[in-house]
Amino acid sequence: MSVTETGEFGLIARITARLGVQPSTLLGPGDDAAIVSAPDGRVVASTDVLVEGRHFRRDWSSAVDIGHRAAAANLADIAAMGAVPTALLVAFCGPPDLDVRWAEELTDGLVAEADRAGAAIVGGDVSASSVLTVAVTALGDLQGREAVLRSGARAGDVVALAGRIGYAAAGYTVLSRGFRTPKMLVEAHRRPVVPYPAGPAAAKLGATSMIDVSDGLLADAGHVATASRVGIDIDRDAFPLPDQMRDTASALGVDPYTWILAGGDDHALLATFPEGAQLPEPFRIIGTVTGGAGVTVNGKSYGDGQVGWDHFR
C-alpha cells in the first residue's frame, strides 16, 4: 500500500501508533502542538535535515537505519551542549508512491534511537514530495547546568574524545566502492553509536567546550578553535587503527587516517577540559589546546584541501 492510498491522516495514524512516551512528554501527538516539560526553564533545541541522494541512499540503508541516523544527528547536538535529550519533532516528505511500510519502519528507527537517548517523538508533519526528506528537531534539558559552548576552550586545556571516529567514513567508502563488508564499518555508516550520557557527564566535570563531530574531526575541532580563538593540536598517535579498518584501507588504497581525521557521521563528542581534570568515561585525551590558531596534527598542518563535510560541495 502506498502513502497515497493510505492518505495523510491514515499515514499519521500509522506513525503515531508506533510512538512511545517519556516522563518529559506532557502532551504528545494529536493536538495543534505538543507540550514538553522544561523544569530547567531553558530549552536546548537543534534541527537537521536528511535528503535522499545527499545524506542517504535506500539501496545502502534500510528505513530503520535511516531513522536511527536522522534521530542521532540531532540528539548528538543536544548531548554536545551538555544537555539531556527530551523530545523530537519529525517532518517527513516522501513521493506519493512510497510504500507505507517504509514510513512505518523509518518511524521504528527514529523511536528506537530516541529511546536510547531517553527522548520521545512528540509531533511533526507529513507531506508529499518528489525527494524523500526527513527533518528532525530535537529538544533537551540542561538540568540546571550551564550549557557547554564551543567558545570556552583555553590554552593549556586537554582535548578529549568520546565515541568512535572514522568508522562511518570508512563504511561510506566501502559502500561507494560497491562492497557490503566489513560489516562493522558498513553498519557504522548506517547507524552511528552516539555516547549520549557522555555529554552531560562532561558538563558536570567541568568541560570548557564541546562539539558533536558530524562533519569530520579536524573540521569540527576547527569550529571550536575559531569560536574560542585558540589553536588545537591533535595527536595522530592517539588513534590506534582497528584491524578491520587497517585491512580495508590497504585493500582500497586509502590512508585510514583520512577517515579518522577528516571523515564525519560518527557523532562522537569532542570536548576540552582543564589540564589535570578528571575525565568522564568514555573520554580519552587526543590533543591539546594551544595559544595559536587553527588546527594542526602533531604540530603540522594537515592536507591542502577540504578536511571535512560541506553540504554545498
Side-chain angles (χ1 to χ4, degrees), residues 180-238:
R180 295 295 183 269
T181 57
K183 185 177 180 181
M184 177 185 74
L185 301 180
V186 171
E187 288 301 314
H189 168 75
R190 289 171 173 159
R191 298 189 190 185
V193 179
V194 184
Y196 297 116
K204 292 175 184 176
L205 291 177
T208 54
S209 70
M210 189 155 47
I211 190 170
D212 160 38
V213 182
S214 56
D215 296 331
L217 177 62
L218 298 186
D220 288 316
H223 296 322
V224 173
T226 298
S228 298
R229 298 181 180 180
V230 295
I232 289 179
D233 186 54
I234 301 296
D235 179 10
R236 197 179 100 145
D237 297 331

Side-chain angles (χ1 to χ4, degrees), residues 24 26 35-44 86 139-143:
S24 57
L26 303 182
I35 302 175
V36 180
S37 65
D40 178 86
R42 299 167 295 173
V43 176
V44 179
T86 55
L139 307 178
D141 178 19
L142 287 166
Q143 299 182 329

Side-chain angles (χ1 to χ4, degrees), residues 50-58 131-132 172 309:
L50 273 69
V51 180
E52 183 175 22
R54 185 64 175 169
H55 302 99
F56 66 86
R57 286 175 47 168
R58 279 186 274 171
V131 179
L132 196 91
Y172 175 87
W309 177 259

Side-chain angles (χ1 to χ4, degrees), residues 22-298:
Q22 293 286 346
S24 57
T25 306
L26 303 182
L27 180 66
D31 219 299
D32 290 308
I35 302 175
V36 180
S37 65
D40 178 86
R42 299 167 295 173
V43 176
V44 179
S46 178
T47 192
D48 225 344
V49 61
L50 273 69
V51 180
E52 183 175 22
R54 185 64 175 169
H55 302 99
F56 66 86
R57 286 175 47 168
R58 279 186 274 171
D59 59 330
W60 286 5
S61 303
S62 70
V64 176
D65 292 333
I66 295 163
H68 275 275
R69 284 191 65 199
N74 289 271
L75 293 165
D77 284 333
I78 301 300
M81 299 296 290
V84 174
T86 55
L88 294 179
L89 298 163
V90 181
F92 169 75
C93 304
D97 61 351
L98 182 72
D99 191 321
V100 70
R101 290 175 297 183
W102 197 94
E104 292 175 331
E105 291 169 6
L106 173 76
T107 303
D108 290 341
L110 287 160
V111 169
E113 191 65 29
D115 189 60
R116 281 193 66 240
I121 298 173
V122 298
D125 195 15
V126 299
S127 178
S129 171
S130 59
V131 179
L132 196 91
T133 304
V134 183
V136 180
T137 296
L139 307 178
D141 178 19
L142 287 166
Q143 299 182 329
R145 296 180 296 274
E146 290 303 311
V148 183
L149 309 182
R150 300 178 181 184
S151 56
R154 298 292 178 263
D157 286 353
V158 297
V159 180
L161 185 78
R164 304 188 305 191
I165 199 76
Y167 288 69
Y172 175 87
T173 301
V174 168
L175 289 165
S176 67
R177 300 285 182 92
F179 302 108
R180 295 295 183 269
T181 57
K183 185 177 180 181
M184 177 185 74
L185 301 180
V186 171
E187 288 301 314
H189 168 75
R190 289 171 173 159
R191 298 189 190 185
V193 179
V194 184
Y196 297 116
K204 292 175 184 176
L205 291 177
T208 54
S209 70
M210 189 155 47
I211 190 170
D212 160 38
V213 182
S214 56
D215 296 331
L217 177 62
L218 298 186
D220 288 316
H223 296 322
V224 173
T226 298
S228 298
R229 298 181 180 180
V230 295
I232 289 179
D233 186 54
I234 301 296
D235 179 10
R236 197 179 100 145
D237 297 331
F239 303 96
L241 291 176
D243 290 341
Q244 286 182 304
M245 187 180 291
R246 180 188 295 106
D247 294 345
T248 300
S250 178
L252 298 178
V254 176
D255 177 359
Y257 285 98
T258 300
W259 294 331
I260 291 171
L261 298 174
D265 285 339
D266 281 299
H267 297 291
L269 299 180
L270 181 72
T272 58
F273 295 86
E275 185 178 11
Q278 177 186 356
L279 299 189
E281 293 289 342
F283 279 97
R284 63 191 191 279
I285 294 176
I286 63 163
T288 57
V289 180
T290 71
V295 180
T296 54
V297 178
N298 293 108

